[in-house]
């Protein structure tokens, strides 16, 4: 393996963690060093990312610290406004004539999106039979159970079922799946792994990126999603997404099995930040899109306090759409979050609040503005919709940008 010499890691000026939080991070870091040692001194970056995010009780998503809101590391659309979930509920109502009246959510987090969808279904008398949440984290499930205790429709699952014919939802799910890092070297494309080296300032070794040596077939398969990979410059680093692609194939198999078993259609709606492939792998984006979030600070060092920070990468929507289509689904729409929410009727839902009720209307209006504004989340976030035996409402098709994939 060959050590890389990227841009020196910046000196980060970030909030100081508590002693307890730091102790948890050190435990996780020790576990990571142990795994590296037992695997000939190197693990793929995807495995490092998996350990940092999902190690039971220690990983970022599996631990007990606050992730969302003012005390967390970032704010998602559901946390920003209940109207986001209400809009999704209104779309689901229109789709239920073609699917089973059921919703399945991946990455439910605090349960806020589920709460808002269920509340809107209750208030608007939308006939939702069951709301499935696929949740691997016991800690997150406990939070969700407390928040959703008044909704008997909710059913928790620990794995994806083999058949389903309703509406699948994933808000900021794909960006949290582990990615592979690849780098173009003088010898061709290489996968990057994580190794250790002795620290000059601490008795604890540090983590570093290194090139892995694998056969040509493995790396060729990984970079297949990069258009014009041979034209990119030496030293170009980016992400590829085999785990997301495999996940999409599994979702497709589940929906197609649901169609065969029930005769009803199925649809999967993914909301996330990302690009189509021709924008993702631009020559000037030569350090990829990997980003870390800690206490509302964004930076690019994935080895900073493992377990205490989020690690994400933008979604390659072309690769995800292709995986779904190749597995048998139809590409129904690809659009901006703004176009999607407008077509779902978010402004009509906002109009339920009297303008003269300024204490309620102004905060709701400001939140909707952030969700829709091109300068905020309206253009940064995209929506990809795949399905089988389903036709979308005409308003959604008016905002379709599938041709850009």
């Amino acid at each position: 393996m060959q050590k890389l010499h990227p841009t020196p890691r910046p000196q980060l000026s970030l909030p100081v963690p508590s002693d307890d939080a730091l102790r948890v991070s050190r435990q996780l870091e020790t576990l990571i060093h142990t795994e590296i040692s037992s695997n000939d001194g190197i693990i793929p970056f995807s495995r490092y990312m998996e350990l940092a995010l999902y190690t039971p009780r220690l990983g970022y998503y599996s631990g007990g610290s606050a992730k969302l809101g003012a005390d967390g590391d970032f704010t998602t659309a559901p946390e920003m406004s209940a109207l986001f979930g209400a809009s999704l509920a209104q779309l689901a109502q229109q789709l239920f004539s073609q699917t089973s009246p059921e919703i399945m959510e991946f990455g439910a987090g605090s349960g806020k999106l589920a709460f808002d969808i269920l509340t809107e279904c209750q208030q608007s008398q939308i006939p939702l039979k069951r709301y499935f949440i696929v949740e691997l984290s016991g800690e997150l499930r406990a939070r969700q159970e407390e928040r959703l205790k008044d909704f008997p429709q909710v059913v928790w699952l620990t794995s994806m079922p083999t058949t389903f014919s309703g509406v699948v939802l994933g808000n900021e799910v794909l960006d949290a799946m582990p990615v592979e890092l690849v780098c173009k070297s003088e010898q061709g494309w290489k996968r990057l792994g994580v190794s250790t080296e002795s620290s000059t300032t601490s008795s604890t070794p540090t983590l570093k990126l290194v090139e892995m040596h694998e056969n040509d077939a493995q790396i060729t398969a990984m970079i297949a999603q990069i258009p014009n990979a041979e034209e990119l410059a030496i030293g170009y680093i980016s992400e590829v997404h085999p785990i997301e692609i495999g996940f999409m194939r599994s979702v497709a198999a589940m929906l197609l099995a649901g169609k065969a078993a029930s005769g009803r259609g199925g649809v999967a709606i993914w909301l996330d930040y990302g690009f189509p492939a021709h924008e993702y792998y631009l020559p000037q984006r030569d350090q990829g899109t990997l980003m870390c979030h800690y206490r509302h600070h964004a930076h690019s060092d994935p080895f900073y306090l493992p377990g205490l920070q989020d690690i994400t990468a933008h979604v390659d929507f072309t690769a995800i759409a292709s995986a779904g289509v190749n597995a048998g689904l139809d590409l129904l729409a690809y659009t901006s979050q703004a176009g999607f929410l407008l077509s779902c009727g978010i402004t009509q839902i906002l109009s339920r609040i009297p303008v003269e009720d300024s204490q309620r209307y102004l905060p709701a209006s400001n939140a909707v503005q952030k969700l829709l504004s091109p300068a905020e989340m309206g253009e940064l976030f995209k929506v990809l919709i795949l399905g089988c035996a389903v036709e979308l409402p005409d308003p959604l098709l008016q905002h379709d940008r599938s041709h850009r994939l």
Side-chain angles (χ1 to χ4, degrees), residues 109-131:
S110 69
K112 178 64 163 59
L113 178 58
F115 180 88
D116 294 335
I117 290 173
L118 288 159
T119 299
E120 177 68 15
C121 288
Q122 187 179 74
Q123 294 176 350
S124 298
Q125 298 184 324
I126 298 172
L128 175 63
K129 182 179 179 182
R130 285 183 294 187
Y131 194 108

Side-chain angles (χ1 to χ4, degrees), residues 92 105 128 130 246 284 288 294 302 307 312 340 351 355 368:
E105 184 183 357
L128 175 63
R130 285 183 294 187
Q284 59 266 40
Y294 175 70
T312 72
F340 175 78
S351 69
V355 176
V368 169

Side-chain angles (χ1 to χ4, degrees), residues 172 175 271-275 293 312-315 317 380-382:
E172 294 195 56
D175 69 87
L271 305 100
D272 227 312
Y273 47 89
F275 312 102
H293 300 272
T312 72
H314 282 54
V315 176
F317 281 107
L380 174 64
F381 281 75
K382 310 298 193 303

Side-chain angles (χ1 to χ4, degrees), residues 338-367:
F340 175 78
L341 291 176
L342 287 169
S343 67
C344 292
I346 193 169
T347 53
Q348 290 90 332
I349 297 171
L350 174 63
S351 69
R352 298 174 188 170
I353 305 174
V355 176
E356 55 271 19
D357 186 355
S358 59
Q359 287 190 327
R360 294 174 57 217
Y361 183 83
L362 289 179
S365 178
N366 288 337

Side-chain angles (χ1 to χ4, degrees), residues 98-100 164-167 255 258-259 262-267 387-390:
Q98 304 170 73
T99 74
S100 299
F164 181 72
S165 58
V167 177
L255 292 178
K259 171 65 169 62
S262 69
R264 309 286 288 173
V267 62
C388 59
V390 167

Side-chain angles (χ1 to χ4, degrees), residues 162-181:
T162 56
T163 62
F164 181 72
S165 58
V167 177
V168 174
L169 297 177
N171 181 62
E172 294 195 56
V173 172
L174 300 177
D175 69 87
M177 293 186 179
V179 297
E180 298 287 358
L181 289 185

